[in-house]
């Protein structure tokens, strides 16, 4: 009986360890960021990366979002480095957005707040600019 309990305990531990080692990154916890692939298309004079097609959702700085992936992809296409395309709109993404917003204001006469946030004023400009600056 003791041998059977020890064997069961050993098999359970081995299964848990193997599951942790070989689990896909998406299920292994939030300690590693997943990099996403950008798949660009152009429609009606705007660039899209295949994750979010709207112009109103603000990418999250605390969690992965479709809008975050989309904005990072478009910033990358527009030659503004957002860092890893991971869907979390962190420091690098916000800095790239501020540079983009500054360019749009100075070079094209936009009046976008230079705040590092991709919102309803920045989305259309980013989609337009990314279409021409691949």
């Amino acid at each position: 009986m003791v041998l059977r309990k020890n064997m069961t305990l050993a098999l359970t531990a081995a299964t848990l360890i193997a599951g942790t080692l070989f689990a896909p990154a998406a299920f292994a916890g939030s300690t590693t960021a997943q990099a996403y692939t950008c798949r660009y298309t152009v429609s009606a004079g705007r660039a899209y990366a295949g994750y979010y097609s709207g112009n109103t959702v603000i990418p999250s700085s605390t969690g992965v979002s479709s809008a975050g992936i989309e904005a990072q992809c478009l910033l990358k296409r527009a030659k503004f480095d957002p860092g890893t395309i991971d869907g979390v709109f962190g420091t690098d993404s916000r800095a790239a957005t501020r540079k983009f917003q500054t360019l749009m204001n100075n070079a094209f006469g936009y009046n976008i707040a230079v705040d590092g946030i991709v919102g309803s004023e920045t989305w259309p400009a980013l989609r337009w600019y990314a279409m021409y600056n691949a």
Side-chain angles (χ1 to χ4, degrees):
M1 185 72 166
V2 172
L3 181 59
R4 186 180 298 184
K5 280 186 178 181
N6 287 342
M7 185 64 111
T8 302
L9 182 60
L11 286 172
T12 302
T15 302
L16 289 172
I17 291 168
T20 302
L21 293 175
F22 299 109
F27 300 102
S30 60
T31 58
T32 55
Q34 177 180 350
Y36 291 87
T37 302
C38 304
R39 295 178 182 86
Y40 301 105
T41 60
V42 174
S43 176
R46 301 286 187 256
Y48 297 87
Y51 292 95
Y52 169 69
S53 61
N55 288 320
T56 57
V57 174
I58 296 172
S60 172
S61 62
T62 59
V64 176
S65 69
S66 306
I69 301 167
E70 182 80 11
Q72 288 173 332
C73 285
L74 294 176
L75 285 164
K76 181 179 178 181
R77 180 177 170 105
K79 312 283 190 290
F80 293 89
D81 184 12
T84 302
I85 308 298
D86 61 5
V88 180
F89 219 70
T91 305
D92 292 340
S93 298
R94 289 192 308 275
T97 301
R98 282 191 295 276
K99 289 177 185 175
F100 170 74
Q101 291 166 331
T102 299
L103 171 83
M104 294 307 289
N105 289 344
N106 293 341
F108 297 100
Y110 279 73
N111 190 23
I112 301 171
V114 180
D115 55 9
I117 296 171
V118 180
S120 60
E121 292 180 343
T122 303
W123 274 115
L126 183 56
R127 291 193 186 284
W128 173 81
Y129 190 82
M131 181 182 73
Y132 291 108
N133 292 285

